[in-house]
Amino acid sequence: MTESPQEGAAGEGAEPPGATTEPAPDVERVPHADHLWAEARQLAFDSATPIPAAPVALKDAIGRTLASDVHALQDLPHYASSAMDGWAVNGGGPWILAEPGHRLAPHQASPITTGGLIPPGAKAVLRSESGVLTTDEDGLPLLALGGNAKPGEPRNGQHIRNAGEEAAAGELLVKSGVVLNPAHLALAALAGRDELDVLGKPLVKMLLTGSEVVTAGVPAPGLVRDTFGPQLGAVVELLGGIGGEQIKIGDSYAEWLSALEEGELSPDTPPADVVITTGGTGRSGTDHFRRAIAELGGRLLIDGIAMRPGHPAVLAELPDGRFVLGLPGNPLAAMMVLFTIGAPLLAGLGHGTLPDVGEVPCGAMLDADPGRTRLLPFRFVYGLASPAQHAGPGMMRGLASADGVMVVPPHGVQLGEAVPAFPLPWGPPLPQPKPPEDKAKKSPSRSARKVPSGPVDWSALTG
């Protein structure tokens, strides 16, 4: 369930008013050591098998990675067409007008529009602004040069787009491995394609829990606003997933179990690859994540990470192959878990690589917190990473203005020391550290300085 900033400030394990702290009767507690932060990231990535390539409709292929080459199914264009509005003509003018679409005899013309099929016998297209309609001595309609026509216009082949000008049948149009942009999709459509084979990408379903959560307006005391609905799908997309349906459920075990069961899907509803839940990952009597996973025959891959915020993180796998990522109820803690194990999981399923962790110079002295890694949103201040204020587990203000997240090791960090960090999915990459300056290049030795050649003029010193 989502907790308020006040509850989060008291600790990420804080329970909402009235919640019991008794364990659920069906949950067996097994002592175990929490995963280290780096270990949890790697485990989430290694647990994922890349989703096989599959065809998708052109409208759904934008931003996807092409899995197989796209070749022209026929010549592009596949017929000779007009590049101008005007008349298709055969030979020199003046021309006798013929019905559109009929074969043109010498000195005949027929109206044509841009993209129109060149009729048999036509040798060129006369632009509409270069011709005038007139009559012969018997009053029969004729087409003659006029307007701004140039001498010799039209030349044979002028203003005709020949078949195969852009590509011949079988020619390679788009090579596999590219990230598809709108121009690629337009080209594929020109080539007659309705679908494209793309690398698999995980579809993510979201279960937003908490009977005290409201989705609009200012919440009354005891109620909290939904912080996950507006952001979770967007973050999933930025991390390489496909944001699927969001389902809001209450806090009862029956609702949890029903929501996690896949059930019978309609033909238009593909099965989810990942289910993300919010809240319910603690150890109180109202936290049902582990019990529901056990009843569905699943197994826990990660059950707790030695980090804060976000310690009560859970990653499970169900017998049908779906992963279930349990985020804590506090919004900042949930985002740290999503960045820690959600990003590697989605990258692994989507044929990506484990997200990089860089370094930034720390702008504060951070005390040791033995046994736990701390994730701190930061802002750059004079080139140093300064920990953000308002960064309690239930707060979002610090993350909203952050430039990245510091990964503070258990032994702490000294002022100015390099500390591991990663960028935010919606922000720019971390700046690259400047290479050390080569003093020899900056200040050349005396022997390397340029000495003038030829005789020296001392007159200025002795005059």
Side-chain angles (χ1 to χ4, degrees), residues 346-374:
L346 297 179
L349 292 170
H351 301 258
T353 58
L354 185 67
D356 291 332
V357 175
E359 286 186 339
V360 293
C362 190
M365 186 176 74
L366 303 175
D367 294 334
D369 189 0
R372 288 197 291 193
T373 296
R374 281 170 292 167

Side-chain angles (χ1 to χ4, degrees), residues 88-91 101-108 118-124 156 160:
V89 299
N90 184 349
H102 288 68
R103 173 176 288 277
L104 298 182
H107 309 294
Q108 277 191 326
I118 297 295
K123 301 295 191 290
N156 275 352
I160 290 179

Side-chain angles (χ1 to χ4, degrees), residues 128-298:
S128 57
E129 57 266 36
S130 297
V132 292
L133 293 175
T134 183
T135 57
D136 62 10
E137 57 188 17
D138 296 323
L140 298 176
L142 285 177
L143 171 66
L145 290 179
N148 59 0
K150 298 177 182 178
E153 187 176 351
R155 304 182 306 275
N156 275 352
Q158 191 171 11
H159 305 314
I160 290 179
R161 296 171 179 160
N162 293 316
E165 275 190 350
E166 189 167 5
E171 189 173 341
L172 176 64
L173 299 178
V174 189
K175 191 169 179 57
S176 64
V178 306
V179 177
L180 293 165
N181 61 37
H184 292 136
L185 305 188
L187 180 57
L190 282 173
R193 303 278 181 170
D194 299 318
E195 298 178 327
L196 291 175
D197 289 329
V198 296
L199 296 184
K201 199 172 185 179
L203 175 63
V204 181
K205 176 181 177 181
M206 288 153 274
L207 301 183
L208 311 181
T209 72
S211 56
E212 81 285 9
V213 177
V214 297
T215 58
V218 178
L223 302 178
V224 294
R225 270 298 295 267
D226 172 25
T227 59
F228 293 112
Q231 68 165 330
L232 196 51
V235 179
V236 164
E237 296 273 352
L238 290 171
L239 294 177
I242 300 173
E245 64 177 333
Q246 293 188 0
I247 300 176
K248 188 179 183 304
I249 62 174
D251 295 321
S252 72
Y253 178 69
E255 289 176 281
W256 267 84
L257 189 63
S258 175
L260 284 174
E261 288 177 323
E262 187 65 27
E264 194 168 325
L265 298 173
S266 68
D268 297 330
T269 305
D273 302 293
V274 179
V275 179
I276 293 180
T277 66
T278 61
T281 60
R283 296 284 185 177
S284 76
T286 59
D287 294 320
H288 307 305
F289 185 99
R290 295 168 183 81
R291 179 183 174 188
I293 294 297
E295 184 163 337
L296 293 173

Side-chain angles (χ1 to χ4, degrees), residues 28 31 41 150 157 200 209 240 280 290 300 304 320 341 386 443 448-449:
E28 180 182 359
R41 292 180 79 240
K150 298 177 182 178
T209 72
R290 295 168 183 81
L300 299 182
D320 59 13
I341 57 177
S386 177
S443 303
R449 293 174 184 167

Side-chain angles (χ1 to χ4, degrees), residues 16-17 34 53 56 87 102 113 150 161 217 255 258 285-286 325 327 329 335-337 360 364 398 421 434 459:
D34 291 332
V56 299
W87 296 270
H102 288 68
T113 58
K150 298 177 182 178
R161 296 171 179 160
E255 289 176 281
S258 175
T286 59
L325 173 58
L327 305 181
M335 286 300 104
M336 296 302 106
V337 171
V360 293
K434 295 181 179 179
S459 60

